[in-house]
């Protein structure tokens, strides 16, 4: 029996230097920021599109529209203006849309920067009446720091169930002669696409500084936030909270949730091509440190939880650390360490931030405090 345990033991103690990761600078390594921008970044993004997240059928729809369906200039006891916007679009499959909730601080200078949460929990977590409040989205805290607090429900873009993609954005735009085999977009990509449509709205509101906005998500929402930040370079800061497998964690670590298990449990999250790598992570042409590097030179923050082994905190940290060479092409600091910090000792010195929070898989007040502190460095110009 001991001989069968040896590979597992070796895997658990495998040092970071022994991981054979794809070169973050590309197969023909970029030697300058111009090489990265013009050649390697598009190649890397295409590999993630083709093999993991899938190909969205379009970017901003020509018929995208915004309707103010509720406004309260005295929300939060006068601290904020609440705006609920209906974002609508239509395609061959008909019309669809989603609601965007925004609280704009009244007492800060305008236009105000902000944070957009891709909410992967129920509507009670983002109650616009504020009768129900939750640390998952501490809108009052965000507003008090001078930021716009914005959010939408991920399920409004694509239901988080294996339903043959017959709802939301998929219903409007997928090819009804049959979805593209292999690389058709799935739910994670649809949620990320929705974040970009919210940013399209922010660009129309004079009270909001759309040029200094963060996109944030937790768990599956964190996977979507990373994909949104990778695709849409308008996001100044991308935040991944406990995103784990096919989020921030390195696939080649093969620790915690793995490609085969995530594809089995959530077959609707990623494109069909991703299933080719079930139990074959080493065959992937990319890994998640390269996804994080796609944010460069913009800021990115990765966070883990000490009791969240399923999300592989060490794999998340190492992915953030291994993104560094791309930031150095721009003359910027990344994480600048290969030593994982102790719990509750955040690293905020470069364009790549990281913390390991004490506790379980969650998004809470401590996490938000770190993201707001990091935002003070990168969203206020």
């Amino acid at each position: 029996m001991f001989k069968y345990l040896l590979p597992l033991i070796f895997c658990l103690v495998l040092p970071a230097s022994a991981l054979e990761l794809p070169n973050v600078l590309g197969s023909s390594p970029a030697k300058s920021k111009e090489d990265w921008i013009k050649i390697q970044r598009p190649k890397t993004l295409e590999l993630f599109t083709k093999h993991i997240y899938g190909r969205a059928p379009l970017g901003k729809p020509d018929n995208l529209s915004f309707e103010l369906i509720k406004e309260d200039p005295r929300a939060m006891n006068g601290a904020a203006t609440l705006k609920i916007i209906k974002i609508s679009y239509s395609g061959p499959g008909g019309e669809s849309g989603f609601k965007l909730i925004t609280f704009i601080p009244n007492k800060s200078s305008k236009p105000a920067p902000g944070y957009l949460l891709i909410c992967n929990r129920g509507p009670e977590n983002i109650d616009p009446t504020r009768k129900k409040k939750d640390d998952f989205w501490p809108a009052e805290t965000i507003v008090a720091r001078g930021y716009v607090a914005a959010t939408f429900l991920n399920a409004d873009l694509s239901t988080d169930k294996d339903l043959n993609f017959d709802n939301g954005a998929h219903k409007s735009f997928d090819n009804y002669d049959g979805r593209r085999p292999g690389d058709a977009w799935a739910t994670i990509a649809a949620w990320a696409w929705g974040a970009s449509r919210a940013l399209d709205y922010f660009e129309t509101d004079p009270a909001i500084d759309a040029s200094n906005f963060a996109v944030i998500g937790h768990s599956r929402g964190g996977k979507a936030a990373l994909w949104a930040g990778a695709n849409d370079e308008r996001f100044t800061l991308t935040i991944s909270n406990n995103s784990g497998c096919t989020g921030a964690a390195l696939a080649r670590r093969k620790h915690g949730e793995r490609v085969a298990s995530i594809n089995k449990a959530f077959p609707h999250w990623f494109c069909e091509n991703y299933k080719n790598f079930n139990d074959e992570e080493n065959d992937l042409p990319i890994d998640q440190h390269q996804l994080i590097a796609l944010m460069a030179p913009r800021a990115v923050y990765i966070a883990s939880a000490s009791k969240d082994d399923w999300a592989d905190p060490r794999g998340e940290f190492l992915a953030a650390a291994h993104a560094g060479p791309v930031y150095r092409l721009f003359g910027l600091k990344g994480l600048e360490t290969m030593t994982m910090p102790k719990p509750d000792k955040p690293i905020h010195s470069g364009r790549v931030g990281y913390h390991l929070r004490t506790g379980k898989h969650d998004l809470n007040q401590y996490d938000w405090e770190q993201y707001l502190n990091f935002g003070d460095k990168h969203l206020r110009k």
Side-chain angles (χ1 to χ4, degrees):
M1 181 177 179
F2 181 71
K3 68 178 181 179
Y4 296 109
L5 291 175
L6 279 176
L8 175 61
I9 295 170
F10 181 73
C11 178
L12 292 174
V13 301
L14 189 67
S17 58
L19 279 173
E20 294 184 6
L21 298 176
N23 191 334
V24 73
L25 297 173
S27 55
S28 299
K31 295 181 173 58
S32 66
K33 64 181 181 181
E34 290 78 16
D35 281 352
W36 174 255
I37 293 169
K38 295 179 181 179
I39 302 172
Q40 294 301 338
R41 188 186 191 282
K43 286 184 177 180
T44 302
L45 184 63
E46 171 60 19
L47 288 172
F48 278 104
T49 300
K50 179 179 179 180
H51 295 291
I52 299 180
Y53 299 97
R55 197 174 308 280
L58 79 170
K60 180 180 178 181
D62 292 336
N63 56 23
L64 191 70
S65 65
F66 312 113
E67 178 188 357
L68 178 64
I69 59 177
K70 183 175 181 178
E71 184 172 15
D72 180 3
R74 303 299 297 168
M76 294 181 177
N77 297 318
T81 295
L82 166 66
K83 293 182 181 180
I84 301 181
I85 310 298
K86 182 180 179 182
I87 299 179
S88 301
Y89 50 85
S90 62
E95 183 176 346
S96 190
F98 63 102
K99 291 181 181 178
L100 174 67
I101 301 170
T102 63
F103 285 98
I104 304 170
N106 287 334
K107 297 180 181 179
S108 66
S109 59
K110 301 293 189 301
Y115 289 76
L116 172 65
L117 171 68
I118 301 174
C119 180
N120 61 296
R121 293 183 177 176
E124 68 277 5
N125 292 271
I126 55 171
D127 179 14
T129 72
R130 307 311 293 152
K131 292 178 181 178
K132 294 183 179 180
K133 299 177 183 178
D134 195 294
D135 285 350
F136 186 76
W137 188 54
E140 285 79 5
T141 299
I142 298 168
V143 166
R145 294 284 293 264
Y147 293 104
V148 175
T151 187
F152 65 89
L153 288 172
N154 64 340
D156 288 346
L157 273 299
S158 181
T159 302
D160 194 6
K161 294 181 180 179
D162 187 12
L163 295 176
N164 298 318
F165 306 102
D166 59 358
N167 61 92
H170 297 292
K171 180 179 179 180
S172 292
F173 299 118
D174 279 13
N175 183 349
Y176 281 83
D177 293 330
R179 279 166 54 82
R180 287 175 58 101
D183 69 350
W185 67 336
T187 51
I188 296 288
W191 302 340
W193 183 87
S196 290
R197 306 294 69 83
L199 191 55
D200 291 335
Y201 165 73
F202 297 147
E203 291 181 332
T204 72
D205 192 324
I208 297 176
D209 183 3
S211 66
N212 286 293
F213 232 86
V215 59
I216 172 174
H218 164 69
S219 193
R220 63 198 67 186
K223 305 178 204 298
L226 286 170
W227 190 234
N231 280 277
D232 196 333
E233 296 180 86
R234 295 177 298 170
F235 285 113
T236 308
L237 168 60
T238 299
I239 302 170
S240 156
N241 190 83
N242 303 180
S243 61
C245 179
T246 325
L250 291 170
R252 281 168 173 77
R253 280 259 303 162
K254 303 177 184 178
H255 186 91
E257 188 170 29
R258 292 183 55 181
V259 173
S261 54
I262 203 169
N263 278 330
K264 180 179 180 180
F266 307 102
H268 54 289
W269 278 4
F270 308 106
C271 72
E272 288 298 309
N273 283 342
Y274 197 34
K275 296 176 175 61
N276 295 330
F277 301 97
N278 288 350
D279 297 316
E280 302 291 345
E281 287 90 344
N282 288 347
D283 290 342
L284 277 163
I286 63 278
D287 212 325
Q288 301 308 105
H289 63 307
Q290 294 168 277
L291 179 66
I292 295 170
L294 289 173
M295 314 307 162
R298 297 164 295 135
V300 60
Y301 199 117
I302 308 300
S304 310
S306 63
K307 295 181 180 179
D308 189 14
D309 191 61
W310 188 242
D312 187 15
R314 180 159 179 77
E316 293 179 313
F317 167 76
L318 288 174
H322 281 285
V326 176
Y327 281 86
R328 287 193 283 276
L329 287 180
F330 291 88
L332 301 168
K333 290 184 177 181
L335 205 54
E336 302 302 306
T337 180
M338 294 299 294
T339 301
M340 191 170 181
K342 294 182 179 180
D344 309 322
K345 298 292 183 181
I347 301 173
H348 291 177
S349 57
R351 289 286 176 98
V352 181
Y354 179 82
H355 73 252
L356 174 67
R357 170 182 44 78
T358 299
K360 62 182 182 179
H361 186 77
D362 198 5
L363 172 58
N364 64 23
Q365 192 75 31
Y366 176 86
D367 297 313
W368 276 104
E369 288 175 3
Q370 308 318 310
Y371 302 147
L372 291 166
N373 291 340
F374 199 67
D376 287 345
K377 293 173 176 282
H378 301 287
L379 295 178
R380 299 189 183 279
K381 299 178 182 178

